[in-house]
Each structure stands twice: as structure tokens, then as C-alpha cells.
Amino acid sequence: MWELFSYGVIHLWLEMAGIETIGQNTIAILKWQAGLPELISPENSDETLTLKVDEYLEGLKTKGLLTADAQGIWIQSELIPLHSHEGTIPIPGASLTKIATSLAALETWGPQHQFETLISTTGPITNGILRGDLVINGGSDPYFVWEEAIALGNTLEKLGINQVTGNLVIVGNFWINNQYNPVVAGQFLREGINSATWSRNVRSIYNRMPPGTPMPKVAIAGSVISQKSVSGKIPIIRHKSLPLVYILKTMNVESKNNLAERLAKNLGGAKVVQRKAAWSAGVSEAEIQLINGSGLGVENEISPRAVTAMLVAIQRYLQSSEWVIADLFPVSGYDTGTLRDQSRNIPLGAVVKTGTLNDVIALAGVFPTQEEGLVWFTMVNRSPYWEETRAEQDKFLQELVKRWGVVTSPRGIVPKINGDRLGLGDSRRNYIISGD
């Protein structure tokens, strides 16, 4: 059951039909839009499960936790639907929107993609002094933070630069710590590469970096300015971001809205994310309606079925890589982030994404069972009582695991990435450009 049994069945069926090759989303499109034989996608619903779902929803209603009739639930085993309660109707999903952003980013760039920032000079370096400008050419890195700035300062010192007589010039899309104004971002970078000017916040972040990390002191005498281009510059360092899979992991574990928004804008905007995610998951765009990449705003509406389809599409996409879906999302009992902040009691080993917005409490993911293999689910409840509703969601999932049997997580959903130790501030991602 652990190797997506249904994938193998569909692949065999396609071969029998004379189709030799299939695209990334062929299976999903056939399943959701065209339909497949009853063997693969039966129109059935587990009667006992239906009673469990009805009991769960009635319990929420009886306790006065619901504020609207619209409650969405979708549950499936591998690719076989088990239950749907308004599962094909788009509903505000809060941060479940980040699943769409994650899928679109993977499809566009791939898990190993790294955003590049080019550092150049406009003058000679003598006796530790750069007699010219330090130029930063931004490459739309969505997760350049204090640790990265400190590491860059250390690499500049390694090149023999302790002082800059000219300006710090920002070119292109350079952002740091959610600061998108180029001059403000440049001022942050100026602080980050010079420990003599660090604020208490920067010192606190430095103290969490690996012991022995040097404290850079690169002083810039001039101003921070923004220009469209700089001529005659000499490249000295090529900074590469964390691989995309690590960026997506922190975005989903911490549910970072600004990071999700920046990724969506890099992709071309919410409608591009919507189109890419729907295509990859094999669902109609009518079931994925987005206004941004983070989920802020009830105007972001996704059907529970589409949410699950996107999660399955991510796992399918990653099958040819070294990564698994658990490397992109929080894992119960392993990662912290929103799972710790919300004191969740989700079954151990479950890979999930949480979502909270006003009266929207959402949870989606996958957990392993003995009888049903990998069970994929999406639950969206409309309730302003966050803690109580989350507790009921967790209790419902625990009952499902108890019913189908607890099992150790298979390799396919065990993470390699620790969301608490991403490797920020690693100078090895600063590549010195030879002048030869």
C-alpha cells in the first residue's frame, strides 16, 4: 500500500490502452476530469466513515462551534475517494492556499532551484579597502535574512574587504527580512555585514548561529542607493539561496505569509499560481480561486478535493527526486512551527498543513494506516473558536487512525529536512568568482 498502489494500476491501464508515456499530471487529469474504470475510482463512500463524519460535524454544531453551514471535508485512500462532505465546493481555506503556491513553485523551478544574488565592485581592493562601490544585483531571493547577510559579510572579509569608500548600490530585486524597498533593504544589509552596528535583534539572531561563526566588520562610508544598472562592475561573489525545497519547508512549517506572497509574485501572481496548481493537480480552476499566494483573505477559495489533489500532485512530482512531501510540510511529532504554537494533537507522523483565518479553521495532509495505507484528507470548518475546533479536528483524526490501525510512517512520508535547522547563514553558498 505504501507505493501509491493506484498509480501502478493506472500506469498499467494506460499501457494496455497503448499510451507509452505520461506527463506529470496525466493521472490526476484522467481521474478528476475524464474518469477512470470503477476499479480505480469507484463512486462509493464508506458507510461507517460517513457516520463518523456526520457525528463529527454534529458534535461541532451541538457544542456551538460552527458559524456557517459551509463545512468542507474530503477523505481518500491513495487515489480512491472514501468520503466527501461538500468536497467539491470552493471554500475559504486560509493558509491551505500555500499548498497551491508550493505546487506551482515546484512545477516552475524544481526542488533544487536556488535564487542568485550577484555581488560586484566598481574599484580596486587595496589594503582591506574597496575604493569604489559595492554593488548588489538582486535575483528575487525570497528568503534572504539576517543570517545570510552575516555570512555574506564574512565572505567579503575573506576577499580582503573591510571598508568600502563608495556607496552600497542596489540593482534589481533585492529583499531582506521582508523589506522590499531597495534602499531600506540595502540599509538592512549594510547593518548585517558590520557587527559594529548590529541592533539587539541582529545580535540575538547571531547567537543562534553555529558556535564560532565570525562577526563581520565591513564598513561602508557612502550611502545606500538604488539604480537600474551599473556599468563597469566586476563580479566577486555569487550568493545562492537555500534550495527551494528548504524555502517551502520553512514557509509551510511557520506559515510565513510574506514569504508565500513573494514566491507567488515571483511566479507571476495569484492567477498564475491558480492556473499552474489546477493543471498539476488535474482539477478545474473553478475549484481553485486565489487572490494571493498566502491565503490571507476569505476571497481565496479552494475545494477540499482540490486541496487533497494538490497534495497528491506534490508527492507524485517528488517521486523522481530525493525528497518527499514531508520535506515541504510540517510533520506531527517532528516539526514545531504552527503545530507547536497551536498545541496540536495530530496523529504522530502525519504530514499536514494548518490554516487559520477569522472564522476559518483548516487542516489538510496525509497519515499512514494499516488497513487503508496512506490516507489523504482535507477538513475546513467555519468557526471563530480556534482552540476548541482544532481540538475536535485532532480528535477526529485520532479516531480515524484508531479505526484503520496505527503504523510506523513509511519511507515515502518521512522527512529528510528538519524545519528547525535549515542551514541559514552557511558561507558555503557564497561562491567567490575568480578574476582569472
Side-chain angles (χ1 to χ4, degrees), residues 27-293:
I27 291 172
I29 288 176
L30 287 172
K31 184 200 180 294
W32 298 122
Q33 296 180 351
L36 287 170
E38 290 294 312
L39 171 66
I40 298 171
S41 181
E43 293 298 327
N44 70 341
S45 182
D46 185 300
E47 292 184 4
T48 304
L49 179 58
T50 298
L51 292 175
K52 284 285 185 182
V53 173
D54 291 345
E55 184 180 294
Y56 162 71
L57 292 174
E58 186 60 32
L60 290 175
K61 185 176 181 180
T62 300
K63 294 175 182 178
L65 299 180
L66 302 183
T67 57
D69 292 332
Q71 311 294 324
I73 296 177
W74 181 274
I75 303 172
Q76 68 182 59
S77 171
E78 309 295 5
L79 294 180
I80 302 175
L82 296 177
H83 186 84
S84 170
H85 179 89
E86 300 182 2
T88 61
I89 301 174
I91 187 173
S95 282
L96 298 189
T97 299
K98 294 181 177 72
I99 298 173
T101 302
S102 299
L103 177 55
L106 280 177
E107 287 282 2
T108 302
W109 296 308
Q112 292 293 101
H113 177 76
Q114 292 175 282
F115 300 90
E116 293 188 358
T117 300
L118 186 66
I119 294 86
S120 306
T121 62
T122 63
I125 302 169
T126 57
N127 300 320
I129 301 174
L130 165 59
R131 301 185 184 280
D133 296 333
L134 185 65
V135 182
I136 308 297
N137 278 82
S140 301
D141 182 350
Y143 200 47
F144 194 103
V145 291
W146 285 122
E147 294 93 334
E148 303 290 273
I150 292 171
L152 179 57
N154 287 327
T155 303
L156 288 169
E157 286 194 322
K158 185 177 179 180
L159 283 171
I161 299 176
N162 303 114
Q163 299 178 46
V164 178
T165 62
N167 298 319
L168 177 60
V169 183
I170 306 300
V171 180
N173 294 323
F174 176 74
W175 314 305
I176 178 173
N177 301 319
N178 300 323
Q179 296 296 327
Y180 306 121
N181 179 294
V183 173
V184 175
Q187 291 169 345
F188 272 53
L189 178 62
R190 181 180 191 168
E191 177 182 354
I193 63 177
N194 187 1
S195 60
T197 64
W198 283 356
S199 65
R200 181 180 299 179
N201 178 47
V202 181
R203 289 187 178 277
S204 175
I205 290 172
Y206 168 79
N207 289 333
R208 296 199 296 267
M209 295 179 72
T213 299
M215 300 172 65
K217 288 187 178 180
V218 180
I220 297 176
S223 302
V224 176
I225 61 176
S226 173
Q227 294 183 189
K228 290 185 177 180
S229 63
V230 174
S231 60
K233 62 183 184 294
I234 303 171
I236 58 172
I237 300 171
R238 190 180 306 278
H239 168 81
K240 292 192 175 184
S241 72
L242 288 170
L244 179 65
V245 65
Y246 286 80
I247 294 174
L248 295 177
K249 179 74 171 186
T250 194
M251 178 187 76
N252 289 312
V253 168
E254 302 290 342
S255 207
K256 293 180 179 291
N257 292 321
N258 286 328
L259 181 52
E261 295 282 12
R262 190 52 49 185
L263 281 169
K265 288 181 180 179
N266 281 356
L267 288 164
K271 293 306 175 184
V272 174
V273 171
Q274 172 182 307
R275 183 171 64 254
K276 285 179 175 285
W279 184 89
S280 299
V283 298
S284 167
E285 280 193 59
E287 292 190 39
I288 304 177
Q289 294 293 309
L290 306 181
I291 63 167
N292 55 47

Side-chain angles (χ1 to χ4, degrees), residues 325-393:
I325 194 169
D327 290 313
L328 269 69
F329 297 97
V331 181
S332 179
Y334 189 83
D335 291 307
T336 53
T338 59
L339 297 185
R340 180 181 61 186
D341 296 342
Q342 298 174 7
S343 300
R344 303 300 297 245
N345 187 32
I346 296 166
L348 292 178
V351 181
V352 300
K353 181 69 193 83
T354 60
T356 305
L357 178 69
N358 299 331
D359 69 339
V360 178
I361 309 296
L363 184 66
V366 57
F367 57 87
T369 67
Q370 288 183 350
E371 292 185 11
E372 295 291 346
L374 296 180
V375 174
W376 305 78
F377 69 93
T378 298
M379 308 163 64
V380 182
N381 296 122
R382 303 299 299 272
S383 170
Y385 306 102
W386 295 358
E387 294 183 5
E388 295 88 344
T389 303
R390 288 169 182 156
E392 293 299 318
Q393 289 179 339

Side-chain angles (χ1 to χ4, degrees), residues 11-23 26:
H11 196 280
L12 177 61
W13 181 79
L14 289 171
E15 285 186 348
M16 293 173 63
I19 302 175
E20 296 181 359
T21 60
I22 58 175
T26 301

